[in-house]
Amino acid sequence: MRKGRITRISGNMVTVSFDSPVMQNEVAYIQHRNERLKSEIIRVRGTLAEMQVYEDTRGLKVGEEVEFTGDLLSVELGPGMLGQIFDGLQNPLPDLAAQCGYFLKRGIYMEALSGSDEWEFTPIAKAGDRVRAGDKIGFVKEKMFRHYCMVPFSWEGFFEVVSVEKPGKFTKNQAIAHLKDEKGNVRPVSLCQRWPVKIPIRAYKEKLKPTEPLVTKMRLIDSLFPVARGGTYCIPGPFGAGKTVLQQLISKHADADVVVIAACGERAGEVVETIKTFPTLVDPRTGHPLSDRTVIICNTSSMPVAARESSVYTAVTIAEYYRQMGLHVLLLADSTSRWAQAMREMSGRLEEIPGEEAFPAYLESHIASFYERAGLVSLYDGTLGSVTIGGAVSPAGGNFEEPVTQATLKVVGAFHGLSRNRSDARRYPAIDPLISWSKYRSFIDQAQKERGQWLLRKGNDVAQMMKVVGEEGTSLADYSDYLKSEFFDFVYLQQNAFDPVDEATPKERQAYVFSFIDRIIQSDFSFTSKDEALHFFQQLRQLFRGWNSSPWQSEEFERTEAEIRALLAERIKAG
Amino acid sequence: MQKYYSNITQIVGDVITVEAENVGNMELAQVITRRGTSLAQVIRLDGRKVFLQVFSGSRGISTGDKVRFLGHPMRIPTGELLLGRIFNGSGSPLDGGPALDENLVEVGGPPVNPVKRIIPEKMIRTGIPMIDIFNSLVESQKLPVFSIAGEPYNELLARIAIQAEVDIIILGGMGLKYDDYLFFKETLEEQGALSRSIVFMHTAADPIVECLLVPDISLAVAENFALAGERVLVLLTDMSNFCDALKVISITMEQIPSNRGYPGDLYSQLASRYEKAVDFDAAGSITILAATTMPGDDVTHPIPDNTGYITEGQFYLKNGVIEPFGSLSRLKQQVNGKTREDHRTIMDTMIQLFAEYRETLEKQAMGFEMSAWDRKLLKYGNLFEKKMMSLEVNIPLEKALDLGWEILHECFSPEETGIKRSMIEAYWPGTHEG
Ligand SMILES: Nc1ncnc2c1ncn2[C@@H]1O[C@H](COP(=O)(O)OP(=O)(O)O)[C@@H](O)[C@H]1O
Ligand SMILES: [Mg+2]
């Protein structure tokens, strides 16, 4: 065992002197009395290694011993992750609670996947097959999925299947097959494997361009600023503007097979909500509880900062793993700024030359390579799998010019910018349609979508102008465009997260209502006065509110639609 | 027999460096000077060099003074005996009572395992409509009052504390003016709440390092009570002084500042305190109300900005009232769906209309002609400010909701409010009783 000794302790950074070779990003354990504290080498200079400690460093002393492990920080991948809640280092939090009670005791590391759970295995590969990393050997049933057992991603080259077990029950470490490499060495394969989190899993044929929309059931997003399967997007916004509520809504309603939630350096309470409610919410797509398709990585703000830095990597590695099974995975990270700040804290302790706002110079490249791990891939057997990444960004002072937002905007495919003005006026979701964009295609008819966006810009221009010339200086035509744009905003863009129907709008309904509104947008109502126009749109808005909260194609839905049509017909006749 | 070290090699700010061995990170020490003995805490170790943050400040420390390490981190006595007592930032009595050393617990202990938390669901009623209707306060919430210096934030904190149904009140004062300290003490006394209160006081005249300790000690004591099943309310005023103390220490330690001199870990520092707010599964709770004064009324200043990202909302106190814009309770939806059916409707509608009223005010200020709709909004806004926003108002939630409907009824026709019809039919004054 290679060892070192502590020479310096500053916050969660410890310097260690060593005399045998060490490796960058190697995991090491500090021996403190009967505790072993996990840490990672982040810089080596001469005979000194600087390590970030994944734990509170209180009580540590100069001279204490450190053991190097030779491993990079890794996670265990196998059945049993769905429905689980892990910390940033993949310790299962419920198991920690069972052992330690209310508090997270430092230095306790538990097996990520249960060693005693048995899984019903069904073979796919046969003796004699030629396979490589990522190929399917068999599967077990995990919740509603076929969880494929694959040739470990770290194995290089081709292998010959020597034997595969017959159907039966296996624990994660039992061999389900034996493979022979090109040199003739025979190695066992089990249900689980390890993978270093900071390295992308690349066991696929090719990466494809994301084209299919990933339906979130948020109208503003799907219709105007869509997300694609295998794409990336970000949600920057000042505090309280609604990033987390939006992420939570999407985690519930998005049309994905698996959702990985990375609660990174934000409030514990928000994760508690997800943890406690998901098991009781049924996913209409599958009829299973939402928790069955969800993995939570929870490293909230008062948990150790270094583990916060790792938590996003742990999350994306788990997402990539399920993608390898041909599933569509959505990774939601809230908030990537806390991950960036964790990098900043370590960089500061390393006394690196600071960049803008003291963030390290490599901030941009780290952000870019994180989002690069998203993608739509074609696996070796031709099936498609994807990882879509949506990251909340918490810009200091709500200013989008800051480094994390700017670095993120350079690499993502869609931008959902939240504005303080909209959230103050309770216009939720507070995504500002005038600044947001998406490079992906919406399922809404292109011409309709463009009219909608044109109207929003026009409405805003008129509103700005009215501030200068007043209502009296505004033409009736401009004023009614302004009212139309407000109407579009109120009844379509805004969505009531606390109304059981309005909170999620399926694709068909969005398309239907959007073209309904498009006709209103194109109508000339020939108003005779501004008051008349205002009054008309107030009435229309009230009816639409009721429409939005009535179930799709229900009797109430039909009735309200008829009323709306009547009001419109009456108006057109009058005009 | 503990060893004394006497080679102090550096004194910078309130941090001294002494050469010593076998010292633990964050360990406590005593610095013995001619002026007396002060506690100090290890904040960095580098070979034999031990960096100590001296609680009473470094003034008067000489390089020949002695340091003795105590072998343990900061601890604080807890339990019933503390009730009714007043201490300073290092935990020494200020009220002439005996020093305590029972049930010592470590300060700044580990975080709660998120799976052992429960979803908060008990509303704390304050009788203030701007809170009860628009931004309901919930047990275990962490919530600061944002304001500029001079606003009555301490009065607001005291008023909520007295009205809240909690078992224990802990007041952590940081850089408090002596008058404010007396105000809290008298208010608690008058309301008969002092006997269930504990005060940790750091005044503007006290050493800056002690200011840093106040949140940790207050919360360690609170946590101990909460684990025993008590519902504890912690008042921290003013957290901006705490942040400024952090800034001073980090500059002394030559850390690279990230924004306007504040350290890059300001967020994590604040979070490790505020996240102590908790509703324990099968035990008590901690609610934290804090005061955060905003330099220059600028909410983007690093202190309110980082705070706002951590806390579960904020009450924005301006010109003596709680502003609807800029105020937020992130936990309101945990409770306002279970109060009365019309609660959320009133909340959303009145705020949206108030936003329109504010726009009309701008138009009016520009000298534009007021339309019929503008005049309605003006009437509405005035009523809202007088009957809802004023902190003089003290009525239960249900009365406040009724009042909301009356105000809407007085100013608008039903469809002008945008409220959906089923709600109008049930609540619009005059609709149901015929
Ligand atoms: N879509 C929404 N509908 C209704 N209220 C919302 C919505 N989004 C946010 N809010 C309100 O704003 C508060 C803050 O939202 P949150 O998502 O926590 O903000 P952020 O994560 O940006 O700081 C929520 O607690 C809720 O009260
Ligand atoms: Mg958030």
Side-chain angles (χ1 to χ4, degrees):
Chain A
M1 177 68 69
R2 289 169 299 127
K3 288 186 175 168
R5 284 198 184 278
I6 297 181
T7 63
R8 187 171 188 272
I9 303 165
S10 167
N12 63 344
M13 198 183 77
V14 161
T15 308
V16 178
S17 70
F18 60 88
D19 45 25
S20 44
V22 297
M23 178 171 61
Q24 173 73 330
N25 296 116
E26 171 173 16
V27 171
Y29 286 92
I30 296 167
Q31 303 293 321
H32 174 68
R33 305 212 182 105
N34 53 3
E35 289 174 307
R36 296 178 79 226
L37 307 184
K38 199 169 187 169
S39 39
E40 178 188 359
I41 297 183
I42 52 173
R43 187 167 71 186
V44 180
R45 285 202 294 197
T47 58
L48 295 178
E50 276 141 332
M51 312 197 307
Q52 59 174 350
V53 185
Y54 289 122
E55 304 279 3
D56 187 355
T57 55
R58 85 174 51 188
L60 297 191
K61 293 180 175 178
V62 167
E64 283 180 323
E65 204 170 78
V66 174
E67 281 179 19
F68 302 108
T69 64
D71 295 327
L72 298 179
L73 185 73
S74 302
V75 289
E76 194 170 39
L77 300 171
M81 292 192 287
L82 294 176
Q84 187 54 280
I85 302 140
F86 297 112
D87 73 4
L89 304 175
Q90 213 197 8
N91 290 294
L93 288 173
D95 297 7
L96 281 178
Q99 179 168 332
C100 309
Y102 285 121
F103 296 98
L104 291 167
K105 209 165 157 312
R106 75 173 177 189
I108 309 279
Y109 307 109
M110 305 189 84
E111 260 190 319
L113 306 173
S114 154
S116 57
D117 280 358
E118 292 195 321
W119 300 90
E120 189 69 50
F121 173 73
T122 309
I124 294 175
K126 318 173 288 301
D129 284 356
R130 201 170 116 91
V131 293
R132 61 174 148 179
D135 282 347
K136 294 161 183 156
I137 306 262
F139 63 87
V140 299
K141 191 151 165 54
E142 182 185 14
K143 312 288 184 191
M144 60 273 191
F145 298 109
R146 274 191 177 185
H147 182 117
Y148 289 106
C149 318
M150 297 169 274
V151 178
F153 308 130
S154 58
W155 291 14
E156 285 173 27
F158 282 87
F159 301 83
E160 182 194 324
V161 178
V162 179
S163 62
V164 182
E165 293 298 326
K166 293 198 188 58
K169 285 192 184 319
F170 292 84
T171 59
K172 68 167 188 184
N173 291 321
Q174 287 176 316
I176 45 133
H178 283 83
L179 308 186
K180 188 161 72 183
D181 67 18
E182 278 152 341
K183 294 201 196 86
N185 306 313
V186 175
R187 294 201 250 173
V189 176
S190 66
L191 295 179
C192 76
Q193 56 172 309
R194 295 190 69 78
W195 184 262
V197 294
K198 291 187 182 164
I199 299 174
I201 297 173
R202 290 212 172 89
Y204 51 79
K205 199 158 61 196
E206 58 179 335
K207 226 171 173 171
L208 307 171
K209 187 168 178 260
T211 48
E212 283 297 297
L214 185 142
V215 179
T216 63
K217 305 202 179 82
M218 300 297 114
R219 295 188 288 259
L220 183 43
I221 295 178
D222 294 342
S223 299
L224 297 186
F225 310 107
V227 178
R229 279 195 166 159
T232 53
Y233 70 96
C234 68
I235 314 177
F239 64 80
K243 299 178 291 295
T244 303
V245 171
L246 199 57
Q247 293 274 54
Q248 283 172 341
L249 288 165
I250 293 174
S251 71
K252 270 191 220 166
H253 302 297
D255 188 9
D257 297 315
V258 171
V259 177
V260 180
I261 298 175
C264 173
E266 296 273 311
R267 299 172 199 82
E270 294 168 348
V271 195
V272 175
E273 245 183 276
T274 306
I275 296 173
K276 308 276 159 154
T277 56
F278 272 30
T280 66
L281 296 173
V282 174
D283 179 3
R285 283 171 72 240
T286 61
H288 284 257
L290 275 175
S291 48
D292 281 9
R293 70 160 196 182
T294 312
V295 185
I296 300 176
I297 310 299
C298 168
N299 216 98
T300 48
S301 61
S302 61
M303 291 163 74
V305 171
R308 185 196 300 171
E309 195 261 337
S310 319
S311 66
V312 299
Y313 294 108
T314 297
V316 73
T317 306
I318 293 173
E320 287 173 336
Y321 176 66
Y322 281 101
R323 173 201 68 194
Q324 289 299 125
M325 295 176 205
L327 296 172
H328 295 288
V329 186
L330 172 62
L331 166 62
L332 299 170
D334 186 7
S335 155
T336 58
S337 293
R338 306 302 161 215
W339 161 59
Q341 286 180 343
M343 283 192 261
R344 175 169 74 184
E345 282 186 35
M346 287 325 297
S347 166
R349 294 231 155 78
L350 289 171
E351 292 168 7
E352 293 173 337
I353 296 170
E356 214 183 323
E357 291 185 20
F359 282 106
Y362 45 80
L363 175 78
E364 256 188 42
S365 65
H366 279 43
I367 289 177
S369 47
F370 169 67
Y371 282 101
E372 244 335 275
R373 292 178 74 168
L376 173 71
V377 303
S378 153
L379 300 170
Y380 292 131
D381 65 4
T383 49
L384 296 181
S386 68
V387 172
T388 308
I389 300 182
V393 185
S394 317
N399 175 6
F400 292 172
E401 299 305 313
E402 60 86 48
V404 183
T405 314
Q406 285 303 313
T408 307
L409 284 176
K410 277 190 193 163
V411 294
V412 293
F415 161 54
H416 304 151
L418 303 189
S419 90
R420 167 74 71 220
N421 281 342
R422 282 184 74 84
S423 69
D424 270 350
R426 306 295 193 269
R427 296 183 176 210
Y428 293 121
I431 299 174
D432 186 341
L434 298 174
I435 59 168
S436 300
W437 46 258
S438 167
K439 297 178 182 163
Y440 307 116
R441 229 189 46 225
S442 156
F443 52 73
I444 297 291
D445 173 75
Q446 188 65 16
Q448 290 184 9
K449 183 182 139 188
E450 278 168 14
R451 270 193 293 275
Q453 284 178 310
W454 170 85
L455 179 68
L456 292 169
R457 277 192 304 275
K458 174 82 195 280
N460 181 62
D461 291 348
V462 177
Q464 295 306 321
M465 205 174 59
M466 277 199 295
K467 283 195 182 145
V468 184
V469 299
E471 229 170 84
E472 64 264 36
T474 308
S475 72
L476 183 54
D478 277 353
Y479 186 73
S480 57
D481 280 343
Y482 161 75
L483 289 178
K484 277 180 185 173
S485 137
E486 284 289 284
F487 163 76
F488 180 44
D489 185 355
F490 269 89
V491 305
Y492 194 82
L493 304 188
Q494 294 174 41
Q495 216 170 331
N496 184 348
F498 302 108
D499 181 290
V501 175
D502 199 29
E503 73 170 311
T505 310
K507 186 173 154 181
E508 302 70 40
R509 181 170 180 159
Q510 287 189 40
Y512 183 78
V513 176
F514 202 107
S515 54
F516 194 103
I517 291 178
D518 183 54
R519 284 194 297 278
I520 298 179
I521 290 177
Q522 294 192 73
S523 299
D524 172 14
F525 294 105
S526 323
F527 295 114
T528 51
S529 75
K530 287 176 188 158
D531 279 344
E532 187 190 42
L534 178 67
H535 183 71
F536 170 73
F537 278 108
Q538 279 170 342
Q539 275 179 303
L540 198 59
R541 184 168 100 187
Q542 189 189 26
L543 285 174
F544 257 83
R545 282 260 167 98
W547 204 28
N548 281 343
S549 58
S550 49
W552 175 227
Q553 293 176 336
S554 64
E555 190 258 326
E556 188 191 346
F557 182 91
E558 311 287 347
R559 186 161 31 85
T560 316
E561 181 175 338
E563 276 182 79
I564 295 171
R565 286 184 188 281
L567 181 70
L568 287 168
E570 191 189 323
R571 174 65 238 164
I572 286 165
K573 206 161 79 208
Chain B
M1 188 61 231
Q2 267 158 333
K3 214 169 145 183
Y4 288 89
Y5 292 90
S6 60
N7 37 349
I8 295 175
T9 57
Q10 184 175 301
I11 305 172
V12 177
D14 289 331
V15 178
I16 63 168
T17 309
V18 61
E19 303 231 329
E21 268 159 9
N22 202 26
V23 176
N25 192 23
M26 311 274 284
E27 184 175 333
L28 276 197
Q30 284 176 332
V31 183
I32 298 130
T33 71
R34 261 183 308 169
R35 291 191 310 136
T37 298
S38 168
L39 283 175
Q41 187 175 27
V42 177
I43 55 172
R44 182 183 291 170
L45 291 161
D46 190 354
R48 283 179 49 80
K49 281 190 277 197
V50 179
F51 293 73
L52 287 161
Q53 170 176 290
V54 185
F55 292 178
S56 63
S58 64
R59 192 163 302 153
I61 293 183
S62 101
T63 52
D65 284 341
K66 290 195 176 61
V67 177
R68 186 171 80 105
F69 290 92
L70 302 180
H72 61 76
M74 177 93 188
R75 294 189 301 210
I76 183 86
T78 55
E80 305 270 304
L81 285 175
L82 272 79
L83 293 176
R85 300 287 315 269
I86 299 170
F87 305 90
N88 72 5
S90 333
S92 313
L94 284 180
D95 54 2
L100 298 172
D101 54 7
E102 270 151 77
N103 304 322
L104 292 172
V105 296
E106 252 183 52
V107 164
V112 174
N113 186 330
V115 304
K116 297 297 278 182
R117 291 172 179 259
I118 53 177
I119 301 183
E121 54 166 20
K122 285 171 234 131
M123 176 166 160
I124 296 179
R125 286 170 174 258
T126 66
I128 302 171
M130 290 314 288
I131 297 178
D132 292 355
I133 295 188
F134 298 100
N135 282 302
S136 318
L137 184 64
V138 181
E139 193 177 318
S140 89
Q141 189 157 16
K142 43 185 178 285
L143 192 136
V145 176
F146 282 1
S147 65
I148 52 168
E151 291 286 343
Y153 52 87
N154 283 329
E155 285 76 1
L156 181 62
L157 291 183
R159 176 169 164 194
I160 298 172
I162 298 296
Q163 218 136 347
E165 291 164 354
V166 293
D167 303 318
I168 291 167
I169 298 169
I170 296 179
L171 171 66
M174 287 152 282
L176 213 57
K177 288 201 288 285
Y178 200 75
D179 291 357
D180 290 328
Y181 160 62
L182 289 179
F183 160 76
F184 273 112
K185 197 169 152 233
E186 278 160 19
T187 311
L188 291 170
E189 237 161 17
E190 272 165 29
Q191 305 288 333
L194 197 59
S195 59
R196 57 186 176 96
S197 302
I198 305 166
V199 179
F200 295 99
M201 261 308 294
H202 169 270
T203 66
D206 295 330
I208 185 166
V209 178
E210 285 188 358
C211 176
L212 280 178
L213 304 172
V214 168
D216 285 336
I217 328 187
S218 307
L219 292 163
V221 172
E223 194 166 79
N224 198 259
F225 279 111
L227 286 169
E230 310 280 3
R231 300 158 71 189
V232 190
L233 174 64
V234 180
L235 304 177
L236 298 174
T237 174
D238 168 350
M239 282 298 277
S240 295
N241 291 327
F242 168 80
C243 297
D244 284 334
L246 277 177
K247 172 162 111 173
V248 170
I249 293 294
S250 83
I251 288 174
T252 306
M253 295 304 287
E254 294 173 358
Q255 282 177 25
I256 300 158
S258 71
N259 198 345
R260 295 198 226 181
Y262 291 90
D265 65 353
L266 180 62
Y267 175 85
S268 301
Q269 293 284 358
L270 284 170
S272 67
R273 275 81 188 189
Y274 278 118
E275 282 280 304
K276 291 274 176 199
V278 61
D279 204 342
F280 282 117
D281 181 9
S285 67
I286 301 176
T287 308
I288 303 178
L289 286 178
T292 298
T293 48
M294 295 190 287
D297 199 17
D298 174 12
V299 72
T300 68
H301 181 280
I303 297 176
D305 188 47
N306 281 285
T307 304
Y309 273 119
I310 293 159
T311 53
E312 286 155 336
Q314 65 281 334
F315 296 148
Y316 178 26
L317 189 62
K318 192 174 181 181
N319 301 327
V321 294
I322 298 176
E323 261 292 310
F325 306 122
S327 294
L328 170 71
S329 162
R330 293 172 191 263
L331 299 188
K332 60 178 180 285
Q333 54 264 28
Q334 311 290 4
V335 296
N336 65 14
K338 291 173 286 193
T339 47
R340 215 170 79 177
E341 178 199 28
D342 57 330
H343 186 157
R344 286 179 177 168
T345 305
I346 284 288
M347 167 180 89
D348 290 336
T349 309
M350 293 197 87
I351 291 297
Q352 288 191 343
L353 287 167
F354 192 72
E356 291 196 44
Y357 156 71
R358 282 276 166 91
E359 282 173 16
T360 297
L361 275 188
E362 278 177 30
K363 281 197 255 172
Q364 194 183 32
M366 302 275 294
F368 293 131
E369 200 178 291
M370 294 285 98
S371 68
W373 175 242
D374 287 327
R375 282 191 299 275
K376 288 185 177 192
L377 287 170
L378 287 175
K379 178 174 175 194
Y380 166 75
N382 285 326
L383 280 174
F384 187 88
E385 282 171 351
K386 205 162 75 216
K387 295 191 167 178
M388 285 280 183
M389 272 171 77
S390 162
L391 280 180
E392 311 272 289
V393 181
N394 188 350
I395 48 175
L397 171 73
E398 291 71 16
K399 284 249 158 53
L401 290 173
D402 292 343
L403 177 65
W405 286 108
E406 277 162 36
I407 294 175
L408 290 175
H409 179 246
E410 217 173 311
C411 306
F412 304 109
S413 68
E415 70 272 8
E416 284 170 342
T417 63
I419 297 174
K420 64 176 183 190
R421 244 177 4 206
S422 52
M423 249 327 146
I424 293 285
E425 277 155 19
Y427 287 97
W428 195 255
T431 313
H432 40 120
E433 345 28 4

